[in-house]
Amino acid sequence: MSNLKQFATISYNGYEFKGPRNSVQLELQHVRDESGRYITHTVFRFSIDTWITSDSEGVYGDGSDASAHMKDIRAALSVDGGRFELSGFGLGDVTANTNDIDRDVNFGPKVTIMKMRNIGSGCIVLMWSIDVALKVCSKGDAVGVLGRLKEYVYAMRWAIKPNGCTTRIVEGHIEIFNNRSAAGELTVNVTADDYRDLIFVPIPDGFLRSQPQEYILSPNHQRLQFRVTDEEQLSENSFPPGVVNMSLEHSVSSNLFGDGGGFQNHTATFTGSIEMAKPFPASVGWAKAIMLMQERLVHAVNSLLKTPMITELTVTEFVFERRLSFSLKYRLLGSSLKDLVEDSGLFTKVQSTTAQAYRDSMAVAWANRGAARLMHDPTSDRMVDQCALNQQIQIKDQVAKYFLDGATGMILLQCPPERNSYMMLENYIDFEDSTFTVDLQEMSADGKSVTTTKRKPQRTGDGKPTIRFVVYGRSLRVGYLPQYPRQVESAWGSTVQLLVDEKKESYSLVSKYGECSIYAGKWRHVYQIQFNSDSEYEAARERGINGAFFKFVDPEKPDQNK
């Protein structure tokens, strides 16, 4: 072996390989990322053969006994993460853990093999191997700056449901270069979790982050695995801001109104549940539910001039969750069975929320660290020292705190205006003399028009033509007592007389919801039309005996109901 003492140096963890009897073999192993597309770093594998002797060229150059120092040498060369220097051997100088830019990038250097053989008295042959992990950059420089990304790889999967919706899953990991905070230390300054915010998986339009985002920090804390699942939504309606999950059913029905004498009762029902993302409180969820229900209630009022009257409301809070369920029923006044579905707002697209507003509101909940912003604290990362007793290792996470005022949703139970307060209004005319046929026609909702067919009159004692007929009907009205029809004028000079002794009117309270009670009204009025002459009657026949002989009270003018 040649004497390289004057210009060659090998040292590790405080031990310097002295003397002229050193030989070095170097093997470079290039490590690729998991995708196999690029080299992440290079492992320098040094195999060193040396003779440790007791002469002046020996272990400490002072002629001391080599065997007396072998325990210390073994200890120094059996520890990972020490300071390494090699120069002057013509292989290209290599250092590790001597400064901030030559750090071993894989918790090394790592000792691999140590062999010893005795040759006579005071001479030990040492064969020693060590791996040094560094990043080879341009011009062959080998560096190892900690905390830089080593890998960022991911794979994608797509699952398509029978309904055509797609579920997309993105899986991958990031890995960083890392080592002890300093050579020989048991702590680190950085972990892969510090780089979680580099992971960015955007959400496609029309998708929800439907499954938990998964992040797994590897045991050596160099690698962070992630899995993100986005699911396409079948409906074109977007969730309100801050909602993580919601169901809303809107149904309409028509049935006989209790004992109301056969009146049709048109009702609609909202049922559903809503779950809020952190940090939104459950009360915000109720406000969002009200927003969606109110949209369809306003549709009936503004677009169709119908009156929805809320009759029942149930809200259930799940106290230890950010979730609630609800049921709201309302009656749709002034609607016909034919138009019930349209009047209720069923099948109309939700207008009060947008996909963009929803995604913006979920930025905190869907962030890589969630609403809690949990972050692994590197100061809790401590490697075990088998030579130290009673070590205490404490795992810590940093938790972010959020404060958000609650919101309340409020539904006001208001009575409808008088002009739109009738659920039902029917009025009929019939003649007591059954020898003639008549048409019975329902009176219109404004209470003004009723028609019948022409017919012959009876004769009174004085010989004047007279017709006797009955006006009868029924009504359901919300918030106000029913009105009854009244004759206010006649035509052609004939006299229309209400027979007071045969006037029957009644109303009853059908149901009561707060201030909006529902009243049912019934009436039966007997009238007599007396013509002054046969010619007047004949003239009436020519023109037709119809509702022009009398008028009814206008429901929009309740002051006429005297």
Side-chain angles (χ1 to χ4, degrees):
M1 298 182 183
S2 61
N3 190 335
L4 301 177
K5 178 180 178 182
Q6 301 301 319
F7 56 89
T9 300
I10 307 173
S11 66
Y12 180 71
N13 199 29
Y15 172 70
E16 183 178 353
F17 292 78
K18 289 182 177 292
R21 306 174 185 91
N22 299 322
S23 67
V24 180
Q25 177 181 316
L26 174 60
E27 176 185 348
L28 271 64
Q29 296 180 344
H30 300 301
V31 181
R32 297 184 178 275
D33 76 310
E34 192 169 288
S35 70
R37 294 183 296 180
Y38 60 90
I39 296 173
T40 62
H41 64 285
T42 298
V43 175
F44 292 73
R45 175 159 292 178
F46 293 97
S47 298
I48 301 171
D49 292 344
T50 187
W51 285 20
I52 302 175
T53 63
S54 300
D55 56 25
S56 60
E57 303 293 335
V59 57
Y60 289 115
D62 56 2
S64 59
D65 182 18
S67 61
H69 299 287
M70 289 311 299
K71 289 174 62 176
D72 294 337
I73 294 173
R74 283 204 318 262
L77 299 182
S78 299
V79 176
D80 288 341
R83 178 186 176 114
F84 177 84
E85 294 182 78
L86 183 144
S87 62
F89 283 88
L91 303 175
D93 297 347
V94 177
T95 61
N97 294 353
T98 65
N99 54 57
D100 289 338
I101 61 173
D102 71 350
R103 304 297 303 278
D104 184 285
V105 297
N106 194 27
F107 290 101
K110 294 180 178 179
V111 177
T112 59
I113 297 175
M114 181 186 297
K115 293 181 180 181
M116 294 182 180
R117 182 165 55 92
N118 173 267
I119 302 179
S121 175
C123 182
I124 304 297
V125 176
L126 175 65
M127 291 165 285
W128 182 68
S129 179
I130 190 169
D131 288 347
V132 179
L134 297 169
K135 176 67 177 176
V136 177
C137 300
S138 61
K139 299 181 181 180
D141 296 331
V143 299
V145 179
L146 303 186
R148 291 188 177 178
L149 274 182
K150 172 187 171 186
E151 295 186 30
Y152 188 162
V153 295
Y154 62 89
M156 302 182 69
R157 290 191 288 145
W158 297 269
I160 301 176
K161 298 180 180 180
N163 62 13
C165 290
T166 297
T167 298
R168 185 194 68 178
I169 302 171
V170 181
E171 295 177 300
H173 69 266
I174 59 173
E175 189 167 337
I176 64 171
F177 296 124
N178 207 4
N179 207 330
R180 294 162 170 82
S181 55
E185 292 290 329
L186 300 178
T187 59
V188 297
N189 291 329
V190 64
T191 72
D193 189 56
D194 293 331
Y195 295 83
R196 195 192 304 186
D197 292 336
L198 292 180
I199 302 170
F200 177 65
V201 183
I203 303 172
D205 288 341
F207 280 68
L208 293 180
R209 196 133 287 178
S210 57
Q211 300 296 322
Q213 299 177 85
E214 297 180 24
Y215 298 93
I216 302 175
L217 188 61
S218 64
N220 66 2
H221 300 175
Q222 278 186 275
R223 173 179 289 204
L224 184 69
Q225 296 174 257
F226 61 88
R227 174 188 171 109
V228 179
T229 302
D230 295 325
E231 186 172 352
E232 186 178 9
Q233 295 301 287
L234 187 62
S235 173
E236 62 180 355
N237 295 319
S238 300
F239 281 169
V243 174
V244 65
N245 196 14
M246 181 176 187
S247 65
L248 179 62
E249 298 179 10
H250 189 189
S251 61
V252 297
S253 63
S254 182
N255 58 286
L256 291 178
F257 185 82
D259 58 353
F263 287 114
Q264 285 293 314
N265 175 36
H266 300 321
T267 63
T269 304
F270 291 107
T271 56
S273 63
I274 189 167
E275 180 180 0
M276 298 304 297
K278 293 186 75 172
F280 300 96
S283 58
V284 174
W286 175 235
K288 302 303 182 185
I290 291 298
M291 176 185 71
L292 293 181
M293 292 186 289
Q294 195 71 31
E295 183 175 319
R296 294 199 169 183
L297 295 175
V298 170
H299 166 84
V301 174
N302 293 343
S303 302
L304 304 167
L305 298 180
K306 309 299 181 182
T307 299
M309 188 193 69
I310 297 170
T311 61
E312 182 178 328
L313 173 63
T314 301
V315 181
T316 302
E317 178 192 7
F318 296 82
V319 176
F320 295 102
E321 304 176 41
R322 295 177 185 266
R323 185 164 63 96
L324 57 91
S325 61
F326 54 88
S327 174
L328 183 146
K329 295 182 180 180
Y330 63 95
R331 286 196 168 95
L332 199 59
L333 310 183
S335 179
S336 66
L337 181 59
K338 177 175 67 73
D339 299 324
L340 178 59
V341 171
E342 179 183 358
D343 292 352
S344 67
L346 217 65
F347 308 122
T348 58
K349 186 180 184 304
V350 172
Q351 302 291 334
S352 55
T353 65
T354 65
Q356 186 60 53
Y358 177 61
R359 284 198 301 271
D360 292 344
S361 73
M362 298 298 289
V364 171
W366 288 350
N368 293 356
R369 300 187 184 278
R373 303 293 294 170
L374 282 183
M375 177 183 296
H376 179 249
D377 189 342
T379 63
S380 69
D381 190 3
R382 183 176 297 275
M383 285 162 275
V384 175
D385 181 2
Q386 288 82 7
C387 299
L389 300 178
N390 300 321
Q391 292 186 97
Q392 184 179 21
I393 298 176
Q394 181 181 3
I395 297 176
K396 294 184 291 184
D397 274 333
Q398 300 170 0
V399 183
K401 300 295 184 183
Y402 288 91
F403 299 93
L404 186 68
D405 293 335
T408 58
M410 182 169 54
I411 294 180
L412 298 179
L413 186 59
Q414 297 179 339
C415 295
E418 291 185 65
R419 63 179 179 82
N420 199 19
S421 60
Y422 280 94
M423 296 177 64
M424 186 69 69
L425 178 60
E426 297 178 349
N427 201 50
Y428 299 94
I429 297 177
D430 198 4
F431 292 88
E432 290 190 334
D433 189 343
S434 60
T435 60
F436 299 93
T437 60
V438 296
D439 292 331
L440 302 182
Q441 298 186 17
E442 182 179 345
M443 176 178 159
S444 64
D446 61 7
K448 294 180 179 179
S449 55
V450 173
T451 58
T452 67
T453 58
K454 296 182 291 184
R455 57 165 299 131
K456 292 182 180 180
Q458 301 174 7
R459 294 283 179 172
T460 61
D462 56 7
K464 294 183 178 180
T466 302
I467 294 179
R468 184 181 170 95
F469 64 93
V470 180
V471 176
Y472 63 96
R474 58 183 181 174
S475 67
L476 279 178
R477 196 178 189 195
V478 180
Y480 308 92
L481 292 177
Q483 297 172 331
Y484 304 108
R486 293 286 189 273
Q487 176 233 346
V488 293
E489 62 183 56
S490 60
W492 303 301
S494 58
T495 300
V496 180
Q497 180 182 7
L498 173 62
L499 304 180
V500 178
D501 58 335
E502 296 191 50
K503 170 187 171 184
K504 296 179 180 180
E505 299 174 344
S506 66
Y507 71 85
S508 60
L509 177 65
V510 177
S511 58
K512 183 174 180 63
Y513 298 96
E515 299 301 321
C516 295
S517 300
I518 300 179
Y519 300 94
K522 296 181 181 180
W523 57 89
R524 185 180 185 277
H525 299 161
V526 180
Y527 288 86
Q528 181 174 283
I529 305 177
Q530 189 175 76
F531 296 93
N532 295 319
S533 63
D534 289 342
S535 60
E536 187 180 69
Y537 168 69
E538 291 300 328
R541 285 192 59 191
E542 293 297 326
R543 301 180 61 176
I545 300 174
N546 52 45
F549 278 104
F550 49 87
K551 289 185 178 181
F552 296 106
V553 172
D554 187 343
E556 297 183 10
K557 299 178 181 179
D559 57 336
Q560 293 182 3
N561 190 14
K562 303 293 186 181

